[in-house]
Amino acid sequence: MSNDPARLFEELVGLNYQLYSSLFLKLPLDAIEQTGTLLPLLSEACADGLSEGRTPVEIIEKFFEQHRDHFSEREQVQFLFKIIQYVERQVVLIDALEDASYTKIHQIDNKNALTRLAERAEDEGRADRLAALLRNFGVRVVLTAHPTQFYPGQVLAIISDLNQAISQARTGEVRDLLQQLGNTPFFQKEKPSPYDEAVLLTWYLGNIFYSSIGELVDPLAQRFPDAINTNAELISIGFWPGGDRDGNPFVTTDTTLRVAARLRQTIMQCYHQDLRAMKRRLSFRDVYEPLDKLEKQIREELAGSLEHENILLRDIYRTLDEVEARVVEKHQGMYVEMIQSFRRKLTLFGFHFASLDIRQDSRVIARTLTEIAEKQPGLLPEDFDDLSEDAQVAALFNCHGDVDPSQFDDPVIRDTIESFEVIRHIQLSNGERGAHRYIISNCRGPVDVARVLALFRLCGWGDQPITVDIVPLFETVNDLQHGGASMQSLYRTEAYKAHLGQRRQRQTVMLGFSDGTKDGGYLMANWAIYSAKEDITAVSREQGVEVIFFDGRGGPPARGGGDAYLFYAAHGRTIESNQIQMTVQGQTISSYYGIKAAAKHNLSQLLTAGLENNLIERPDRELDDLQRNLIRDLAERSYAKYEAFKQHELFMPYLEEMSTLKYYAMANIGSRPSKRGGGGAMKFEDLRAIPFVGSWSQLKQNVPGFYGLGSALKAQEELGRLDACLDLYQKSRFFRALISNSMQSMSKTNFALTRYMESDKRFGAFWQDIYQEFLLSREMVLKVAGQQELLQDNARSRLSIKLREEVVLPLLTIQQYALIRIREAREQDDQQRLAMYEKMVVRTLFGNINAARNSA
């Protein structure tokens, strides 16, 4: 088989898709006559029609005239719904084909990136240095339930079986699974609860992460046993469903406790399975009995039939130590590696499996403390709001007292108070790592951090050590630019220094790509985050604090996604990288961690990127003053262009009236509302990043992934500095990663789909502005990268995107057709037609969201 990436993809995915898709289209899946037969004709009509400049309405109407002129409008709508269902399932087929071919497409040999790094370190005499790094290094992948892709559980099960059947070329089984898929609903009639989302994600924990992490860590432990066996943070999982309260009123303390219990149950089930496997091999005298007793204790806990308290970690460790000693002493060390592997998992996962993060918006935290102060006169100075920042922080650190949550009627305030105490309960049941971080969304600076510490003292912790990391999340460009100063101010506060002293002198800082891009545009957001990391690293090192950066990365590049290895491998010495932590959500979970091969590969890549940064000198990771000034200038010019666009009087009306923005709330994808602030008029600051970026994606315009980049580069060309940009691309990993990820966004645009808007009396000029900036951005990035087409150097991504975009084109055309009909229905006040076509728009969201899997 060829090693050429393009040919590999065509052979393993492209050709097989044609084979299985033709099989799929012939299945008897619906009552609408010959939907599968007509879908290829509609696909061709959409492609030809858009290339010839026809509107979506003209394309759909002409299709029906040619192929089903006897259909009534209701029959046409029924047919289009069936087309949507077919396309959704074709996307699943592509996912399964890519998963089944993952190791070959990605050309993964038996040695992962981590193993190759270890071998290189040994060859170059750096093995001791690598071992020292491994003692304290760590990667944390944090699973979130943000609604960028969620198949129902029954669909996930079919996808898993389909992957296996395709891998083993069991065509008959593939056909049956495709038919099952065709008759299984994708659409959820009701929004999932936060607990539902947690349950869905625990499937990945138990079925993918548990074994994949074990298989990744075990061979590394053979080379560096002392470092690996004692590092409980080498690879860890974080968890947001059930703990993330930011804008989600459906998350309560009861939810949080239920999720924590579910996480403990899931890891105990994994331990139980491993113990059963160990018993099958370790059947020796004085070995089998203690393992059997341990397995029964865990089984009894899972069944809820334990007569006494739950088993303790130290009891499991003691049993394993005894068993290993006997196996080594009396049984020639047979299968001792099974015991050692199990002990490593116990060290990594404890009883928590994944650490449950608690997150709340700074404005809710401030309102909570204000209401408490109103009920407790003297808690804060009367002139608190007029005090300086330092004086406010000092006053907050001096807060003492007790708060009774039942005194408060507002459920959000009451839950915010209770959430501090619930952390203590989780730590008692699941261990400290069960819940040890409180994340402050929309953090403005030291006062917001001080408020959280004050609430810990007031809400049950008193003067006891607070075994929780307070994590500020800087999101807007302004907050990112002041991040270094904010942390420096905190580090100089005695009370906070004392808290850090109890937290191993470590400070976690979260940086938000999604809201950063929404606020400042693509280039400025990335540069502001990079600069913030440098500033915060400098002040942290100066104060003797180890800073850990936690990146809020979304699925698409417009929200900080793209190639994670490229991103982290671009960090230079001026950015602390002893830990790599990032959120993973939606299509990123399924594409990066949906199968074991992918999970092992991508976790290995993250570990390698961070270790390389600390082990190997690479000039292309460092920015000199000229490069830094050039990127800053590009970012500022891009920001000015994006800010003017964002302030345009038609910006919000365009999104509200011409995109799918308002329909995300109707889609029942996730439990969280699509905007902050409840009801009322839509305001930019209340928009969540996911529906914001997603709406541009549904339009196939992808504005947040490129807007302003073309103008910034063109300005450099006009100033005679294009050669400097070309040189920057060749010499800077950071800049190359920026350009590559923007190319991904632009590869998924299709302005022919919305060209009809050019003639709109109100929005025509606005649409044209977006289109011209896209053309300019594409022209300039190709010049800078020296490429003839977008992603010329990444055939796998380019071909995957091309195939997926072709498949969803009928769905997107139907979506635009429905949006046009909705505007007509509103003008005619035809509520029945309005409801019919709004439902159609909602249904079209899913296929396009899921097809964007390769944006991860």
Side-chain angles (χ1 to χ4, degrees):
M1 185 173 287
S2 170
N3 287 325
D4 176 61
R7 184 168 294 180
L8 266 175
F9 187 90
E10 287 293 352
E11 291 175 358
L12 297 171
V13 180
L15 291 177
N16 279 326
Y17 172 74
Q18 297 301 324
L19 169 66
Y20 288 121
S21 183
S22 64
L23 181 71
F24 180 63
L25 294 176
K26 295 174 183 176
L27 295 175
L29 298 177
D30 59 82
I32 304 296
E33 55 176 317
Q34 298 179 321
T35 307
T37 304
L38 292 172
L39 176 54
L41 298 176
L42 180 58
S43 297
E44 184 179 354
C46 292
D48 292 345
L50 291 176
S51 68
E52 294 165 6
R54 286 197 286 274
T55 71
V57 169
E58 291 169 342
I59 291 168
I60 299 298
E61 287 182 342
K62 184 177 179 181
F63 171 81
F64 281 122
E65 287 173 9
Q66 290 180 339
H67 300 286
R68 289 297 181 270
D69 60 352
H70 61 281
F71 273 11
S72 66
E73 182 177 18
R74 182 160 294 278
E75 287 173 323
Q76 290 179 358
V77 168
Q78 286 180 307
F79 173 83
L80 293 176
F81 269 107
K82 283 299 177 182
I83 290 292
I84 293 166
Q85 292 172 359
Y86 266 84
V87 172
E88 285 177 332
R89 287 151 179 80
Q90 285 180 313
V91 170
V92 170
L93 176 57
I94 296 174
D95 289 349
L97 286 166
E98 289 197 346
D99 286 348
S101 309
Y102 190 91
T103 56
K104 294 176 182 176
I105 292 174
H106 290 259
Q107 299 181 337
I108 301 173
D109 57 23
N110 292 327
K111 294 180 181 178
N112 59 47
L114 203 54
T115 301
R116 290 194 294 271
L117 178 65
E119 290 178 350
R120 177 179 174 182
E122 289 175 351
D123 292 342
E124 296 176 357
R126 303 185 191 185
D128 289 344
R129 170 62 178 154
L130 179 56
L133 289 171
L134 284 167
R135 289 180 188 278
N136 299 300
F137 185 76
V139 162
R140 175 176 290 195
V141 170
V142 180
L143 307 182
T144 81
H146 292 348
T148 51
Q149 180 201 55
F150 268 97
Y151 291 120
Q154 60 270 35
V155 174
L156 282 174
I158 297 172
I159 292 172
S160 178
D161 293 342
L162 192 58
N163 174 18
Q164 292 294 320
I166 290 172
S167 299
Q168 297 169 21
R170 302 195 301 265
T171 306
E173 186 177 346
V174 171
R175 183 188 184 283
D176 291 343
L177 288 167
L178 289 175
Q179 184 157 358
Q180 181 188 355
L181 190 69
N183 289 294
T184 301
F186 277 42
F187 181 68
Q188 300 180 116
K189 292 184 178 180
E190 297 179 356
K191 281 182 176 292
S193 70
Y195 184 72
D196 293 333
E197 293 170 331
V199 169
L200 190 60
L201 284 185
T202 57
W203 183 92
Y204 289 96
L205 292 178
N207 289 279
I208 304 295
F209 283 103
Y210 182 77
S211 57
S212 298
I213 290 174
E215 291 170 14
L216 188 60
V217 170
D218 285 347
L220 203 58
Q222 301 303 313
R223 292 177 182 271
F224 308 103
D226 293 338
I228 301 302
N229 291 337
T230 58
N231 185 353
E233 298 177 331
L234 183 65
I235 305 177
S236 58
I237 310 297
F239 208 76
W240 275 19
D244 182 11
R245 288 156 160 71
D246 178 16
N248 193 340
F250 306 113
V251 176
T252 65
T253 49
D254 178 65
T255 306
T256 307
L257 289 169
R258 287 182 69 201
V259 171
R262 179 72 182 220
L263 289 169
R264 175 170 174 131
Q265 179 189 43
T266 304
I267 191 59
M268 296 303 273
Q269 288 170 339
C270 293
Y271 290 159
H272 183 248
Q273 291 170 2
D274 268 10
L275 280 167
R276 285 172 61 88
M278 288 166 63
K279 282 169 53 183
R280 289 178 65 88
R281 293 292 170 264
L282 297 166
S283 54
F284 319 128
R285 187 184 304 276
D286 298 330
V287 171
Y288 182 88
E289 288 78 7
L291 288 177
D292 184 56
K293 180 181 178 181
L294 183 58
E295 185 250 324
K296 286 178 179 176
Q297 285 180 296
I298 292 177
R299 187 172 70 233
E300 287 172 3
E301 178 183 325
L302 289 170
S305 58
L306 269 178
E307 295 182 2
H308 306 290
E309 293 183 358
N310 286 342
I311 190 170
L312 300 175
L313 268 177
R314 63 172 177 265
D315 295 334
I316 302 179
Y317 277 120
R318 184 168 56 247
T319 298
L320 294 178
D321 290 344
E322 292 171 359
V323 164
E324 182 176 359
R326 291 171 187 169
V327 168
V328 170
E329 180 184 349
K330 299 180 179 180
H331 305 290
Q332 302 81 48
M334 285 192 71
Y335 304 117
V336 72
E337 65 277 359
M338 294 181 73
I339 303 170
Q340 294 169 346
S341 177
F342 184 79
R343 186 190 287 107
R344 281 190 286 273
K345 289 173 184 171
L346 199 67
T347 300
L348 292 172
F349 301 126
F351 285 157
H352 63 284
F353 207 157
S355 298
L356 190 58
D357 288 344
I358 307 297
R359 184 171 77 132
Q360 184 56 280
D361 188 279
S362 63
R363 291 163 290 191
V364 174
I365 292 166
R367 186 159 57 89
T368 300
L369 197 57
T370 298
E371 294 214 10
I372 292 172
E374 288 176 358
K375 291 184 181 294
Q376 297 188 15
L379 183 69
L380 293 173
E382 291 185 5
D383 61 345
F384 178 82
D385 291 336
D386 299 322
L387 297 176
S388 67
E389 181 181 90
D390 288 345
Q392 286 184 338
V393 168
L396 289 164
F397 281 138
N398 284 322
C399 280
H400 295 282
D402 293 299
V403 178
D404 180 1
S406 66
Q407 293 181 318
F408 300 85
D409 296 327
D410 186 326
V412 174
I413 298 296
R414 192 165 57 250
D415 174 78
T416 302
I417 293 170
E418 292 173 342
S419 68
F420 291 92
E421 179 66 18
V422 86
I423 294 175
R424 287 161 56 89
H425 289 295
I426 294 171
Q427 290 191 352
L428 285 172
S429 62
N430 292 10
E432 183 180 315
R433 288 185 292 161
H436 67 96
R437 303 204 302 192
Y438 197 105
I439 300 168
I440 310 167
S441 297
N442 195 39
C443 185
R444 300 302 189 193
V447 175
D448 287 334
V449 176
R451 282 193 180 101
V452 170
L453 268 173
L455 284 170
F456 268 108
R457 298 284 183 218
L458 295 168
C459 301
W461 291 73
D463 293 327
Q464 299 177 51
I466 298 170
T467 53
V468 180
D469 299 319
I470 314 300
V471 183
L473 167 51
F474 299 122
E475 299 176 88
T476 67
V477 170
N478 183 65
D479 294 335
L480 288 164
Q481 290 174 340
H482 291 91
S486 294
M487 298 314 300
Q488 187 171 51
S489 176
L490 275 172
Y491 293 154
R492 290 175 176 171
T493 305
E494 289 301 320
Y496 196 72
K497 285 168 69 174
H499 171 68
L500 287 179
Q502 297 168 349
R503 304 305 296 160
R504 295 189 291 166
Q505 287 299 115
R506 296 168 101 185
Q507 172 67 54
T508 302
V509 176
M510 187 174 180
L511 304 167
F513 282 86
S514 295
D515 283 289
T517 303
K518 184 188 124 202
D519 181 56
Y522 176 72
L523 191 51
M524 175 54 87
N526 279 273
W527 176 242
I529 287 170
Y530 188 94
S531 300
K533 285 187 174 183
E534 289 191 315
D535 293 343
I536 295 170
T537 296
V539 300
S540 299
R541 287 173 175 171
E542 180 184 317
Q543 296 297 320
V545 175
E546 179 190 348
V547 66
I548 296 170
F549 292 113
F550 174 25
D551 294 311
R553 291 167 59 86
R559 295 199 302 109
D563 191 311
Y565 174 79
L566 281 180
F567 173 79
Y568 287 108
H571 287 176
R573 297 288 185 184
T574 54
I575 294 176
E576 200 73 77
S577 58
N578 293 331
Q579 300 269 322
I580 287 179
Q581 300 192 4
M582 57 183 277
T583 56
V584 188
Q585 54 194 252
Q587 71 269 31
T588 321
I589 296 175
S590 58
S591 62
Y592 270 31
Y593 305 99
I595 58 173
K596 291 180 183 179
K600 287 176 62 177
H601 174 64
N602 288 298
L603 288 169
S604 170
Q605 291 282 84
L606 287 175
L607 280 164
T608 303
L611 291 167
E612 280 181 346
N613 286 347
N614 291 281
L615 188 68
I616 301 170
E617 296 284 349
R618 281 191 173 158
D620 63 353
R621 282 204 300 258
E622 313 301 331
L623 294 173
D624 61 30
D625 289 343
L626 289 175
Q627 292 171 330
R628 191 177 300 277
N629 290 335
L630 177 55
I631 297 176
R632 184 183 298 112
D633 188 65
L634 285 166
E636 289 172 354
R637 291 177 187 275
S638 175
Y639 182 47
K641 176 71 175 177
Y642 178 77
E643 188 66 18
F645 175 66
K646 194 175 72 174
Q647 296 301 326
H648 195 290
E649 62 180 0
L650 293 179
F651 184 87
M652 283 304 298
Y654 181 79
L655 278 176
E656 286 191 84
E657 297 177 35
M658 307 301 281
S659 83
T660 60
L661 180 65
K662 66 180 68 175
Y663 297 102
Y664 272 80
M666 305 179 190
N668 294 334
I669 306 175
S671 68
R672 201 166 62 160
S674 61
K675 75 182 189 73
R676 295 179 175 92
M682 185 82 74
K683 294 187 290 187
F684 178 81
E685 56 269 27
D686 290 335
L687 279 180
R688 292 203 173 277
I690 288 170
F692 174 74
V693 173
S695 296
W696 290 113
S697 174
Q698 296 283 334
L699 283 169
K700 305 313 292 180
Q701 293 176 3
N702 288 330
V703 161
F706 70 83
Y707 196 92
L709 177 59
S711 291
L713 289 169
K714 185 65 176 178
Q716 300 299 323
E717 183 179 50
E718 291 172 349
L719 291 169
R721 297 203 288 254
L722 183 61
D723 284 346
C725 295
L726 270 66
D727 187 66
L728 181 66
Y729 181 83
Q730 294 298 322
K731 293 181 179 178
S732 167
R733 280 193 170 204
F734 171 70
F735 192 62
R736 281 201 302 277
L738 277 182
I739 296 298
S740 175
N741 285 335
S742 186
M743 281 187 178
Q744 277 221 26
S745 291
M746 286 189 278
S747 293
K748 294 175 187 148
T749 58
N750 185 352
F751 280 87
L753 185 70
T754 55
R755 187 176 294 279
Y756 72 91
M757 295 182 188
E758 189 177 21
S759 303
D760 189 273
K761 291 181 180 179
R762 188 179 184 197
F763 295 111
F766 190 80
W767 180 92
Q768 186 62 231
D769 175 74
I770 299 170
Y771 181 50
Q772 291 304 317
E773 182 63 20
F774 162 74
L775 292 177
L776 182 61
S777 297
R778 183 177 63 183
E779 173 194 346
M780 296 309 300
V781 299
L782 289 175
K783 277 186 182 180
V784 168
Q787 298 180 22
Q788 301 301 311
E789 62 177 327
L790 296 172
L791 297 177
Q792 181 178 320
D793 59 345
N794 191 341
R796 178 181 52 80
S797 288
R798 186 180 73 252
L799 292 171
S800 179
I801 291 169
K802 181 175 181 290
L803 176 58
R804 291 168 182 272
E805 293 297 311
E806 288 173 354
V807 167
V808 297
L809 185 60
L811 182 148
L812 293 167
T813 307
I814 292 169
Q815 183 183 95
Q816 288 300 317
Y817 169 80
L819 287 168
I820 294 169
R821 292 302 191 208
I822 286 168
R823 292 191 282 273
E824 293 173 352
R826 283 208 178 97
E827 290 175 3
Q828 298 162 7
D829 195 25
D830 188 334
Q831 295 303 311
Q832 186 175 2
R833 293 183 76 231
L834 179 64
M836 183 169 63
Y837 285 110
E838 283 193 328
K839 182 180 178 183
M840 184 178 290
V841 170
V842 171
R843 291 294 289 114
T844 61
L845 289 173
F846 292 90
N848 191 37
I849 289 171
N850 293 333
R853 183 191 205 200
N854 48 25
S855 64

